[in-house]
Amino acid sequence: MRLQGIPKAKIAEELGIQDVGRLKIWMRKYREQGDFGLMEHRGRRKEYKDLEREVKRLRLENDVLKKWLEI
């Protein structure tokens, strides 16, 4: 996410976010982890998050292999 010279306070105001610090945290999480960093993780154990990531990766791999076999 690039701000293109727009101050974080202005973006927070336009989006209705009262805490600019919260916006900074969201931006950092997105930069470090991508979409996964913005997902809700409260009450979830790390093992479950890792397993979900692995399942998504395997499903994607299966889809790619199925398309390859069709060719």
Side-chain angles (χ1 to χ4, degrees):
M1 171 196 239
R2 296 198 146 200
L3 300 179
Q4 301 173 350
I6 303 170
K8 290 180 182 87
K10 176 76 172 159
I11 292 173
E13 181 183 324
E14 287 182 19
L15 295 175
I17 301 169
Q18 294 181 1
D19 183 11
V20 177
R22 175 62 43 200
L23 178 63
K24 291 178 184 178
I25 291 169
W26 289 341
M27 290 174 65
R28 187 188 77 237
K29 284 185 174 187
Y30 183 78
R31 192 172 46 251
E32 292 172 356
Q33 302 174 6
D35 292 338
F36 183 79
L38 299 177
M39 293 172 59
E40 179 67 53
H41 300 291
R42 286 184 283 189
R44 300 172 88 185
R45 294 176 35 189
K46 181 170 175 39
E47 304 93 55
Y48 295 138
K49 289 188 268 183
D50 290 341
L51 287 175
E52 287 177 6
R53 227 181 274 154
E54 179 70 8
V55 168
K56 286 180 185 178
R57 186 188 67 77
L58 291 172
R59 285 184 178 151
L60 177 63
E61 186 177 313
N62 282 339
D63 290 342
V64 169
L65 289 172
K66 285 176 186 178
K67 288 179 183 178
W68 184 80
L69 288 173
E70 288 176 3
I71 294 176

